[in-house]
Each structure stands twice: as structure tokens, then as C-alpha cells.
Amino acid sequence: MRGLTSPLWPIHFKPLPDELLSSWLVRLAHSHGLKVQTFCNLIFGNRLQVWNRDIDRLAPDWLIRGLSDRTGAAIDQVMDTTLQSYQGIVYHRHRASGTLSWIQSLRLHHRKFEGFGLQFCPECLAQDKEPYFRKSWRVAFNTVCTIHNCMLNDRCPYCGHGVAFHRNDMRRNQYVTTVSLKECHYCGIDLSKSPTIRASHASSDVSIFLGNLSRKLQDGSLDQSEIDNLLIMHHFTKLIFTSNPTVKLYSHLCNIMDVDEIALDIKADIEGAGVETRHLVLQLIAYLMLDLGSSLREAIEAKAIRYNHLKRDFNDMPSWYMVVIGRFSNWRTRNLFI
Ligand SMILES: [Zn+2]
Ligand SMILES: [Zn+2]
């Protein structure tokens, strides 16, 4: 296609608010009337493969630079569409493979997503002038749309497949300007027409606590104490998804909060769990966080957890958390209320 070799592409719109790199790239390809694979091969050549990795997490430099050069977007603006922009906020240690804290796994296998790593809000997709996917929809502690207060979906409600909009054009002929990201790549159904489920929370305090984290993540205003909270909350997810039979935190919290337990896959983690399970686990953890000292004391007294569990394998513990759990270091001999 003529024009694709010049520095700026003929169509070079910038990413929409909170848009994921992959969503932006697919929209750019379709706006030029090309399939995603054809477009990427024309720009980057056959040897530089774009889609054999989770590009939102592992965007290579040549892709970042290429998008910046061809769209006129600043490098920082391009980087901001990647999950790497969450480093130091949502996760702290970069890893090229394996799980990143709070970043949902796509479970990429032969260019197919076998996991449920990208969520969506049907109402957001329905209201978008140009449907697109948000970066914050890849984050495991987001289970509710902060605008519509409905549950996010993590799969097509009709065929059960995860979202993989970069594959939507595979069922079409060469010119694909009418392909929308909101179609399910597998069955073609319009995901914006998915049934909407109102979010329910264990309490209004829990709802406010979790909603605040989600909203501030989206507008980039999480402060250090909230970033610390996410670190602690992630440690609690590991104590909930554990195969250690002496840790009974999950059952204890379900019992205290009078909610039904969902069977957990203890070989999994929060990043690989479905949205319903994550939503329940987050309710339990928010309850813990709202009054950490008292709720941990309650769990220790119920023998659901021991002091060692609270610190084992927990790197980078916030100092105030160490103070809180320090009260339980020899709890049998000390007054816990001091
Ligand atoms: Zn929404
Ligand atoms: Zn489907």
C-alpha cells in the first residue's frame, strides 16, 4: 500500500484514553483497510513478528519506535499504552516470562490466547464511538466497571472463548474496514450486547475501597500508601490460592463474611482466575484491609493463619505492615491489644 513507507502513515490517529497498545495497533491496521497481519508485515517485515508474544506486556523497542515514528505520538505516549507503564505501581519486578503481579495471563499458545487475560465492559464497548480495549481491563483487581458499576466480562458469554480481537479479521476478506474490535474473534457475536450483570459487594465500605483503587489506577493517581496496599493485597491472594493445608484463610473469611465458597484452583493464582472468583477473593481481601490489625488477629485466633505466613516469601514488605504483623510474632505470650 502506497503511503505506508513514508514516515507518517496516511492515517495516524493517537491512542484513545487508557487504550491498550494492541487495540490501537489493530485499529490503525483496519483504518488502512488491511488485516492486522498484512499491515504488520508491510511495516515491520516478515522477520519481526508482532503477535507471537503478549505485545501489551512485552512490546519490543522496534515496535514502540515504529509506532511513534509512523503516528507522530511521543515515545512516552506509546509506552503509556503498554502494561510496562504499571511497573512500580501494580507490579514491581519486571519479568520477561511467568506471571506479573496483578497482570492477567493471556496464556499465549501458538498465537492463540488460552487464558482469559483481557476483560471488557459491554456498556463501555456499546457507548464507544470507536470500540476499543482499555489497559486497565488487563488488571486482575479490576472486576467492576467504574463508570457503569457492572461486572467486567472476561470471556464471550456465547461461545466461552477469551477476547482476542487481533484475530477478528481472520474470518474476513482482504479489506476489513468494517471489522470491529467488539466482535468475538471466535463466534463473531457483538460483545457489547453481552448481558450486563450489576456488581454487588459485601458492604459499601468494601465497594468504596475497591472502587477507589480501580478509579485511581485509571487516572494515574494512586499514591504510595495505595501502592503499598496493592502489594499487601497481592500477598493475601497468595495465601488464598495456596496448597498449604495449614492456611485456611479463604474458608475463614468466607465464613466470617457469610458468603459461599467458590472452589479455587489452588495450582492457579489470582492472575489466572476467572472474574467471578477474583471478585469474591477481592471482597475478602478488602474486608481484611479495612481493619488489618483486628481482622488478622481474628484470623490468627481462629487458627486460619500463622504469623510466619504473613511474612514468608513477602519481599518488599511495607514498613507499616511489618509493624502491624509484628504484634503477632509471639502472640501466645503477649497481649494482642497493645
Ligand atoms: Zn463500562
Ligand atoms: Zn464468542
Side-chain angles (χ1 to χ4, degrees):
M1 185 185 209
R2 287 191 66 196
L4 287 179
T5 50
S6 55
L8 276 182
W9 287 327
I11 301 163
H12 50 267
F13 50 75
K14 309 295 186 290
L16 291 164
D18 194 32
E19 183 165 19
L20 265 176
L21 178 103
S22 53
S23 169
W24 180 39
L25 181 54
V26 169
R27 289 195 309 111
L28 283 164
H30 289 176
S31 70
H32 288 88
L34 293 172
K35 289 188 173 192
V36 177
Q37 194 66 51
T38 312
F39 183 76
C40 290
N41 287 347
L42 275 170
I43 307 299
F44 304 111
N46 294 336
R47 288 173 58 202
L48 293 176
Q49 288 299 309
V50 175
W51 298 100
N52 58 354
R53 73 196 89 206
D54 177 350
I55 62 163
D56 296 313
R57 172 176 166 180
L58 299 167
D61 286 347
W62 52 262
L63 182 59
I64 300 286
R65 273 200 315 275
L67 277 165
S68 172
D69 291 346
R70 303 308 190 89
T71 64
I75 291 282
D76 284 353
Q77 191 178 10
V78 181
M79 280 305 294
D80 200 45
T81 65
T82 73
L83 296 168
Q84 292 169 40
S85 62
Y86 286 145
Q87 184 163 4
I89 300 168
V90 165
Y91 71 92
H92 297 268
R93 286 161 196 265
H94 175 73
R95 301 175 69 192
S97 60
T99 308
L100 277 185
S101 298
W102 291 124
I103 301 294
Q104 287 180 243
S105 317
L106 295 177
R107 291 180 54 212
L108 195 67
H109 187 66
H110 296 303
R111 296 171 186 250
K112 292 184 181 167
F113 298 164
E114 296 188 345
F116 302 100
L118 177 56
Q119 309 177 92
F120 62 93
C121 166
E123 295 194 27
C124 282
L125 289 180
Q127 288 177 4
D128 283 343
K129 198 167 150 209
E130 178 70 40
Y132 71 101
F133 283 79
R134 277 69 165 171
K135 186 173 64 172
S136 51
W137 290 347
R138 285 287 309 267
V139 176
F141 65 77
N142 286 332
T143 58
V144 175
C145 174
T146 54
I147 299 166
H148 300 103
N149 196 35
C150 60
M151 294 297 295
L152 298 179
N153 290 23
D154 66 350
R155 64 199 73 191
C156 170
Y158 303 97
C159 73
H161 282 78
V163 175
F165 54 76
H166 68 292
R167 300 175 71 84
N168 285 11
D169 57 32
M170 290 184 176
R171 293 176 291 111
R172 301 296 180 86
N173 295 324
Q174 187 176 4
Y175 293 101
V176 291
T177 47
T178 57
V179 174
S180 168
L181 270 65
K182 66 181 181 177
E183 292 175 13
C184 169
H185 77 283
Y186 192 80
C187 72
I189 210 85
D190 182 345
L191 295 173
S192 73
K193 296 197 168 75
S194 305
T196 301
I197 301 168
R198 290 291 124 217
S200 66
H201 289 90
S203 71
S204 58
D205 286 347
V206 164
S207 169
I208 291 166
F209 178 83
L210 294 173
N212 180 58
L213 287 175
S214 297
R215 255 186 303 280
K216 288 193 166 179
L217 176 74
Q218 277 166 279
D219 63 26
S221 64
L222 285 169
D223 63 26
Q224 190 56 50
S225 69
E226 289 154 339
I227 292 169
D228 286 351
N229 281 347
L230 288 174
L231 204 57
I232 296 164
M233 290 167 69
H234 194 264
H235 184 66
F236 291 145
T237 70
K238 290 194 275 181
L239 295 177
I240 284 175
F241 287 89
T242 179
S243 55
N244 182 343
T246 66
V247 180
K248 301 182 182 74
L249 188 62
Y250 178 56
S251 295
H252 165 76
L253 290 171
C254 285
N255 186 36
I256 292 265
M257 295 176 72
D258 195 24
V259 293
D260 292 333
E261 288 186 36
I262 297 175
L264 297 183
D265 177 1
I266 53 170
K267 292 197 196 104
D269 46 34
I270 193 81
E271 292 82 5
V275 65
E276 191 188 353
T277 302
R278 280 185 287 110
H279 189 66
L280 171 61
V281 168
L282 283 156
Q283 304 296 300
L284 307 178
I285 291 175
Y287 167 82
L288 275 178
M289 297 298 292
L290 285 168
D291 190 353
L292 195 60
S294 300
S295 49
L296 286 181
R297 175 164 45 79
E298 197 173 43
I300 288 173
E301 287 178 343
K303 297 188 169 41
I305 199 162
R306 291 202 294 256
Y307 166 70
N308 279 347
H309 302 134
L310 297 172
K311 61 173 195 163
R312 188 181 298 158
D313 299 327
F314 190 175
N315 300 315
D316 310 321
M317 268 189 274
S319 53
W320 67 265
Y321 173 80
M322 290 167 75
V323 172
V324 171
I325 68 166
R327 294 182 215 156
F328 310 121
S329 58
N330 53 353
W331 68 279
R332 285 188 181 86
T333 56
R334 284 177 55 185
N335 182 346
L336 295 173
F337 295 92
I338 292 172

